[in-house]
Amino acid sequence: MDEYGGIYETSKFNINMRKFLFIFCSIILFSSCIKKNEKEYLTKKEILEDCKILENYLKTSYILYAENLKMNPELINLKDDIVNSVFTQNKKEITIEDFQKAITAELVKKIAIPDSHLTVFSSNKINQIFSSKKLYYSDILFIEKNGKYYVYDSSDDNIRIGDEFTGNVDNLFMTIKNDICCYQYGVMSNKMIKSCLILVNGNSYQIRVFNTKNNNEQNNYDEKKSVIIPNIDFAINNNEAAKAFNIPSDMSNYNLIIDLRNNNGGIIDNCIIYLNELLFSGNELEKLNLLNKIQTQTQKTLLSGNVLQANYKLAKERHVSKAILFRIKISEIFFKLFNIKNISDETKNTDINDITLDYSKLPKKIIVLINNQTSSAAELFLADLYMIGKERVVTIGENTSGCISLIGNYKYILKNSKIGICLSNIDERSISQLQNPKFKGELKGFFPDYWTINGDISDYIKFVFKE
């Protein structure tokens, strides 16, 4: 019995071992086949073909191509300059990484208009052509008296309390210290810096600066009579978005606190849905949609066969109706057949004053927390809040990403290298929501009313409520 049992167990072990070895060897063989089939190097013919495809995508699918060409005529030579750059590297074999670097470098040289969405990407790396600017703070604070600014707090031996600031006031950013409204000196940069210059009493001094992100754990702002929205998901389906919150019907008796920090946006149509739910208890959707159409009447939209093809793919992924898919596909075929590229810039004559929203429902204060990762649809949502809430809206944190002026972003893939480029087909730089002094432009975004990086957010909110 023992012997039989021993033989059985050994046989079972051998069978399982053979299965394991078979599966293991199959995985190794499959992996080696995949690796063998992966394209490691590109031929000159493949690079030339991909450059032509890239040029076609830029000309037919990028809303800013013509404008960039006017500002930098060298953009017309992009294809040839990429090829020359790749083949002057004295390499016998050109990798996909080499090709991606060359594309990125030439776009950096030739694209003049800041565009946060413009990126070159592959399975291994994402290259941004432009980077958002962040505020690098000093620990030197000023208070304002009769239009002049004097040192309130300083750790630098050369800069003393009471000294007068004689530099550019654009470098002074409002904050709160010891329950006092004051100004912190800093500089905006898209590169990491550790020091900068400051002018005090007519003298220039080198001082250190830092950039520490908001500590999102310090959310002790549970004030009485406040409705707190810790997160807004702009990526969810429109129908689900309308059911996202449980808002009191008497919001006019409450303050509203919305946390948009680290919110990268999503579907822009959700902005109006959320505004309707948060500010008007779901009762003003039709008017808000009309208001949005009027406010965005100056945006420009580019349509082409490539754009419509990308639009069809996105619509299919979002499971839109077959009727809409059919219309997009027919339009795509028509545009491709006749090689059409159209930029619409329609102006509507509807008067914004014809729309009467029930502003009596608005919260007493609308406090929005933002930082450098607040971007895209989240920024548009903030712009809409300003449009409706006006002086009720107060922002706290850091400047937003500045990723809102150009939307309708689609990814286009090159045939041989599989390198992709993200291009926008909608230009929103002229829409009414962005004609806002708080918005400082692409890459800079919206500047907050009160800047903070390490302070307890509740101190700032209490200050706003008191004000």
Side-chain angles (χ1 to χ4, degrees):
M1 189 74 172
D2 291 338
E3 185 179 6
Y4 180 81
I7 292 171
Y8 175 78
E9 291 297 324
T10 304
S11 300
K12 187 176 180 181
F13 171 80
N14 288 337
I15 291 169
N16 288 338
M17 191 64 182
R18 284 198 295 272
K19 285 182 179 177
F20 171 78
L21 289 172
F22 174 78
I23 293 170
F24 179 77
C25 291
S26 298
I27 292 172
I28 295 297
L29 182 62
F30 182 69
S31 299
S32 64
C33 288
I34 290 176
K35 192 170 183 180
K36 189 174 181 181
N37 290 331
E38 280 182 352
K39 187 179 290 296
E40 294 182 14
Y41 302 102
L42 298 167
T43 65
K44 186 170 185 177
K45 182 180 178 181
E46 289 172 330
I47 289 173
L48 285 169
E49 186 177 12
D50 273 7
C51 283
K52 288 180 181 178
I53 294 170
L54 174 64
E55 184 179 61
N56 175 260
Y57 283 146
L58 284 165
K59 287 181 176 180
T60 63
S61 311
Y62 191 35
I63 187 71
L64 293 183
Y65 181 81
E67 196 173 338
N68 271 294
L69 186 61
K70 285 182 181 178
M71 295 179 70
N72 186 0
E74 287 297 310
L75 181 58
I76 198 70
N77 300 320
L78 178 70
K79 173 170 60 71
D80 295 334
D81 289 343
I82 291 172
V83 172
N84 292 335
S85 174
V86 167
F87 289 103
T88 53
Q89 296 177 16
N90 296 320
K91 287 187 175 183
K92 292 182 179 179
E93 296 176 310
I94 304 301
T95 66
I96 291 175
E97 184 180 1
D98 295 331
F99 189 34
Q100 184 174 346
K101 283 181 180 177
I103 293 172
T104 303
E106 290 303 321
L107 286 173
V108 168
K109 291 178 188 176
K110 292 175 170 58
I111 299 294
I113 303 169
D115 178 1
S116 297
H117 281 114
L118 183 61
T119 53
V120 178
F121 60 91
S122 63
S123 58
N124 295 322
K125 192 171 184 180
I126 298 175
N127 297 113
Q128 284 188 295
I129 307 305
F130 296 94
S131 299
S132 295
K133 293 190 176 183
K134 299 178 181 179
L135 178 61
Y136 285 80
Y137 300 82
S138 74
D139 54 6
I140 299 173
L141 299 173
F142 296 86
I143 54 174
E144 186 265 337
K145 290 182 181 179
N146 300 321
K148 295 185 178 181
Y149 299 87
Y150 301 92
V151 177
Y152 169 69
D153 193 14
S154 171
S155 62
D156 192 294
D157 293 338
N158 296 312
I159 301 171
R160 301 173 183 176
I161 294 174
D163 285 352
E164 183 182 349
F165 175 69
T166 50
N168 188 344
V169 294
D170 289 339
N171 291 105
L172 298 180
F173 301 88
M174 189 181 295
T175 187
I176 299 167
K177 180 73 177 279
N178 300 329
D179 209 28
I180 293 175
C181 182
C182 53
Y183 297 83
Q184 195 160 16
Y185 183 81
V187 292
M188 301 292 298
S189 176
N190 58 4
K191 297 179 180 178
M192 291 182 64
I193 58 174
K194 294 182 179 180
S195 64
C196 69
L197 295 176
I198 185 172
L199 281 171
V200 177
N201 292 336
N203 298 317
S204 179
Y205 301 101
Q206 187 91 11
I207 57 172
R208 68 182 182 88
V209 291
F210 51 91
N211 179 269
T212 307
K213 290 183 179 178
N214 271 311
N215 185 348
N216 287 346
E217 298 302 317
Q218 295 176 324
N219 288 340
N220 305 314
Y221 45 77
D222 190 9
E223 302 290 333
K224 292 181 180 179
K225 282 290 184 179
S226 293
V227 174
I228 300 167
I229 308 298
N231 177 56
I232 292 183
D233 187 354
F234 291 97
I236 65 175
N237 181 277
N238 293 22
N239 294 326
E240 295 173 2
K243 305 171 186 175
F245 311 112
N246 184 19
I247 301 298
S249 57
D250 57 339
M251 269 304 293
S252 59
N253 295 322
Y254 292 84
N255 295 300
L256 180 62
I257 301 171
I258 303 173
D259 195 343
L260 291 181
R261 291 174 296 181
N262 304 318
N263 193 316
N264 300 129
I267 303 170
I268 61 174
D269 290 346
N270 284 339
C271 292
I272 298 300
I273 294 173
Y274 286 142
L275 285 170
N276 185 44
E277 294 297 320
L278 291 172
L279 304 183
F280 300 102
S281 302
N283 297 319
E284 299 280 25
L285 185 59
E286 186 177 341
K287 291 180 181 178
L288 285 171
N289 278 323
L290 180 57
L291 180 63
N292 183 58
K293 286 181 181 179
I294 297 171
Q295 295 285 357
T296 58
Q297 66 183 350
T298 53
Q299 73 177 16
K300 296 180 180 180
T301 303
L302 178 150
L303 286 180
S304 68
N306 287 330
V307 170
L308 287 163
Q309 183 178 7
N311 184 254
Y312 178 84
K313 182 180 177 182
L314 180 63
K316 199 171 183 180
E317 289 172 357
R318 291 183 177 169
H319 306 290
V320 303
S321 69
K322 290 183 179 179
I324 294 175
L325 285 174
F326 178 75
R327 286 198 294 270
I328 296 173
K329 178 55 72 173
I330 292 298
S331 298
E332 175 195 333
I333 294 170
F334 180 78
F335 272 69
K336 282 186 174 180
L337 184 64
F338 293 98
N339 195 26
I340 298 172
K341 173 186 172 183
N342 176 56
I343 297 179
S344 64
D345 187 11
E346 184 181 352
T347 300
K348 305 175 185 68
N349 296 317
T350 309
D351 188 354
I352 193 170
N353 295 318
D354 293 339
I355 302 173
T356 54
L357 294 167
D358 188 359
Y359 291 104
S360 66
K361 292 183 178 294
L362 291 180
K364 292 188 289 185
K365 284 282 185 184
I366 304 170
I367 295 177
V368 188
L369 309 181
I370 56 176
N371 67 4
N372 208 243
Q373 300 303 311
T374 305
S375 59
S376 198
E379 291 180 281
L380 182 58
F381 178 72
L382 175 59
D384 289 336
L385 279 175
Y386 274 123
M387 173 186 68
I388 295 171
K390 298 181 174 60
E391 69 280 352
R392 297 172 193 251
V393 179
V394 179
T395 49
I396 300 171
E398 299 172 292
N399 63 303
T400 62
S401 180
C403 194
I404 185 178
S405 300
L406 302 153
I407 63 172
N409 316 107
Y410 295 113
K411 296 175 181 178
Y412 302 91
I413 308 298
L414 304 184
K415 177 183 174 182
N416 301 301
S417 62
K418 305 305 178 188
I419 290 171
I421 185 166
C422 186
L423 301 172
S424 304
N425 77 305
I426 299 175
D427 180 357
E428 291 207 317
R429 288 174 296 172
S430 299
I431 65 171
S432 299
Q433 292 100 312
L434 298 187
Q435 311 311 306
N436 182 329
K438 295 290 183 183
F439 183 67
K440 305 300 180 180
E442 191 81 356
L443 308 182
K444 287 185 177 181
F446 285 92
F447 278 20
D449 294 291
Y450 299 101
W451 295 76
T452 175
I453 52 172
N454 281 329
D456 188 340
I457 297 297
S458 63
D459 290 342
Y460 287 79
I461 292 177
K462 288 175 184 176
F463 182 88
V464 172
F465 287 163
K466 186 179 69 174
E467 289 292 294

